[in-house]
Amino acid sequence: MIMLLNSINYKRVFVLGLLILIILSVFYVMQPDEQKVVTVAASIPHTASQAKGQIRALKLALSEVENKAGEYNVRLLDLDDSAGDSWSADLEEANAVSAAKRTDVVAYYGPFNSGAAKISMPILNRARMLQVSGTVTWPGLTKPGYAAGEPMRFYPTGDRHFYRVAPTDALQGPAGALFLHSIGIRSVVILNDGGVFGAGASRLFESKVRDTGIEVLMSGAFQVERITPMLIKDIVTLNPDAVYAGADDTVGLADLYVGLRDAGYTGVFLGPEFRGTDFEKMIVQGDRNVYTTSPGVAARNQKNIKAAQFLQLYSTVYHEEPDAYALAAYESMRLILQAIAQSDGTRAGVLASFRNIKDFDSAFGVVNFDTRGDIELNMISIFNYANGNWEFVRLIQDNL
C-alpha cells in the first residue's frame, strides 16, 4: 500500500514538473529572442560638419520601421573615428576591429572618408561583413587603374563586401568639363597639387574637356607649400576663361586662388569638393565665379516623391534641411534593413542578401549596384559660391 502511494506521488511530481517545464518554455518563447536582435555599426567622425546629418538620417530610417527588419530587431552602434578636427586612422581601425569581434554586428555603415575606408575595408572583408558607405568616393576602392595594388588589397578574401551609395571621384572631373562647356567656356588652365585625389580628378577632367573642344592652355602640378609669382603671372598672361584646380591640400588651393584674384584674374575658378573646407573661407566677398563639383544631390534638388517625403520628414523632426550626405546615409540604412529582413540574420546571410538587391526604389531613383559594389547612378552636383553659401546650380548626369 505504501509502495503504491509512493508510486502515485512520484507520478504526480513528474507530471507537475513536466507542466512547470512546459509553462516555463512557453514563457521563454514569448520573451524577445536575443538571437533575433542584430546590430548595425556606424563609423563617422563626429567632429565633421557633415556627420550630424548622417547620424540623424540613420536613426530616422530605423525609427520609420520601429527598429525592425523582418523578424529582426535592429540596433545602431554609433561609433566615432574622429580625433580633433579630422578622422583618426587608429580609431577607424579600432572601430572596425570592435565591430568584427562582436557577433551581433551584421553590417557596418561608413566611414565618411576614403582614406579611412582603406583601413577598415580589409578588416571587415576578413570578417565577411557587409560594409556600406554613402560618402567615400575614391575610385581605387573598387576599380583598378588608380593606385598600385588597388582595389584587391582591400579584399584579402577575394570576395567583395563593400558597397557605396555615392558616385566615385571618377565622375567629378568629367562633370566639371561638361559644365564648363555648357556655360560657353572656350579655354582653361588645369592645375593639381600632385596628390592622389587632385591629380586623379584633374587628369579625368582634362581628358573630358579636350573631348568637348575646350582649349587647354596649360596643364600641370603646383607646389602646395609655395605658389610662385611666376606661376600666377603665367596664368594671368594666358588669360583663360577658366582655371580648374584639383587639390587634396586646401591651403595650397587657397593660396592659388588668392594669388590669381590679387593679380586681377576674374575668370571661373572650378574644382572638386571645395565645400566644407578651409578654402571657402578665402573666397572674396562678392566673387560669383567660384564653382565646385560634389558627388550626389541634396533631397531638395531631387525631382521625385521619395526625396520630397524624406525632406519633409527630416525637416519636421530636426527643424533644418538635410544635406546630400544625410540623404545618402538614409538610403544606405534602408538598403541595409532590406538586406537584413531578407536574410537569416547572420553576417554571411546579410551580405548575400544585399548582393541580391535589385531595382531598389529610393529617393535617388531606382538603385542597382555593379559587380564591384558601385552604385549605377551618375549624380554630380554643381555648386556656385554666393553670399557666403554654396548654391546648387545643376545636376550633371548624362555623358559622364
Side-chain angles (χ1 to χ4, degrees):
M1 186 68 168
I2 292 173
M3 290 181 64
L4 179 61
L5 286 172
N6 285 338
S7 175
I8 292 172
N9 287 338
Y10 285 138
K11 286 181 179 179
R12 285 177 177 175
V13 170
F14 175 78
V15 171
L16 181 61
L18 184 62
L19 286 172
I20 291 172
L21 286 173
I22 292 172
I23 291 170
L24 287 174
S25 65
V26 170
F27 178 79
Y28 176 77
V29 169
M30 291 175 66
Q31 299 308 301
D33 185 352
E34 284 300 313
Q35 291 184 340
K36 291 188 177 181
V37 177
V38 298
T39 301
V40 176
S43 181
I44 304 170
H46 286 198
T47 55
S49 60
Q50 303 91 342
K52 181 173 67 175
Q54 289 184 78
I55 296 167
R56 285 175 168 180
L58 294 173
K59 293 178 179 179
L60 198 61
L62 278 168
S63 68
E64 278 190 303
V65 294
E66 298 180 342
N67 292 73
K68 295 279 290 184
E71 61 181 309
Y72 303 100
N73 298 301
V74 184
R75 295 171 178 161
L76 179 66
L77 176 62
D78 183 10
L79 303 173
D80 181 7
D81 68 354
S82 62
D85 295 330
S86 184
W87 64 275
S88 161
D90 290 340
L91 289 177
E92 178 60 25
E93 180 179 5
N95 289 348
V97 169
S98 175
K101 286 182 177 178
R102 285 184 51 160
T103 57
D104 61 312
V105 177
V106 297
Y108 189 96
Y109 174 79
F112 179 72
N113 304 87
S114 293
K118 294 180 180 182
I119 294 169
S120 56
M121 283 175 65
I123 298 169
L124 299 174
N125 185 259
R126 292 187 186 95
R128 300 184 185 278
M129 184 187 297
L130 170 67
Q131 182 176 6
V132 183
S133 176
T135 58
V136 298
T137 55
W138 175 241
L141 298 175
T142 53
K143 295 178 173 68
Y146 289 90
E150 294 182 352
M152 294 316 298
R153 70 184 183 91
F154 306 124
Y155 306 93
T157 69
D159 294 327
R160 300 287 181 125
H161 74 290
F162 175 78
Y163 293 82
R164 51 175 150 201
V165 187
T168 73
D169 292 331
L171 300 180
Q172 289 205 67
L178 292 172
F179 170 67
L180 292 187
H181 183 259
S182 73
I183 61 174
I185 295 298
R186 293 172 296 178
S187 62
V188 64
V189 163
I190 306 170
L191 296 170
N192 72 84
D193 65 352
V196 173
F197 170 72
S202 297
R203 183 179 70 250
L204 293 166
F205 169 84
E206 182 170 351
S207 177
K208 191 69 173 181
V209 86
R210 289 185 185 277
D211 289 343
T212 68
I214 296 175
E215 183 181 6
V216 178
L217 302 177
M218 178 196 297
S219 178
F222 62 85
Q223 292 180 294
V224 171
E225 66 279 2
R226 192 165 63 92
I227 304 299
T228 65
M230 184 61 71
L231 174 62
I232 298 297
K233 181 180 178 181
D234 288 345
I235 296 172
V236 174
T237 300
L238 289 170
N239 193 29
D241 292 338
V243 170
Y244 183 87
D248 299 83
D249 188 292
T250 57
V251 174
L253 182 69
D255 289 344
L256 176 65
Y257 165 79
V258 171
L260 287 171
R261 290 303 192 241
D262 286 348
Y265 176 73
T266 59
V268 168
F269 194 87
L270 167 69
E273 301 285 12
F274 291 168
R275 293 191 307 152
T277 69
D278 289 337
F279 165 70
E280 66 184 32
K281 300 173 185 177
M282 304 302 295
I283 298 176
V284 177
Q285 186 174 3
D287 187 351
R288 295 298 301 265
N289 258 350
V290 179
Y291 295 85
T292 192
T293 56
S294 182
V297 61
R300 64 188 175 93
N301 299 321
Q302 286 279 24
K303 305 288 185 185
N304 63 63
I305 294 175
K306 283 193 173 296
Q309 291 173 337
F310 170 73
L311 175 61
Q312 181 177 5
L313 179 62
Y314 187 101
S315 301
T316 299
V317 173
Y318 298 115
H319 309 293
E320 63 183 42
E321 283 195 9
D323 58 20
Y325 299 119
L327 180 57
Y330 173 78
E331 291 299 351
S332 295
M333 179 58 84
R334 289 186 63 233
L335 281 158
I336 292 170
L337 290 172
Q338 177 165 316
I340 293 172
Q342 297 176 352
S343 76
D344 60 2
T346 66
R347 286 180 184 174
V350 172
L351 179 56
S353 178
F354 196 98
R355 287 171 177 162
N356 291 325
I357 291 177
K358 304 294 181 186
D359 299 327
F360 181 77
D361 189 15
S362 78
F364 298 125
V366 177
V367 166
N368 286 291
F369 296 90
D370 64 22
T371 55
R372 296 186 177 110
D374 290 327
I375 192 171
E376 293 183 333
L377 280 177
N378 296 336
M379 301 174 294
I380 302 296
S381 294
I382 306 294
F383 291 90
N384 173 231
Y385 197 76
N387 303 317
N389 293 295
W390 291 101
E391 297 181 354
F392 177 76
V393 177
R394 70 183 65 172
L395 185 66
I396 306 291
Q397 291 182 287
D398 299 326
N399 302 315
L400 289 175

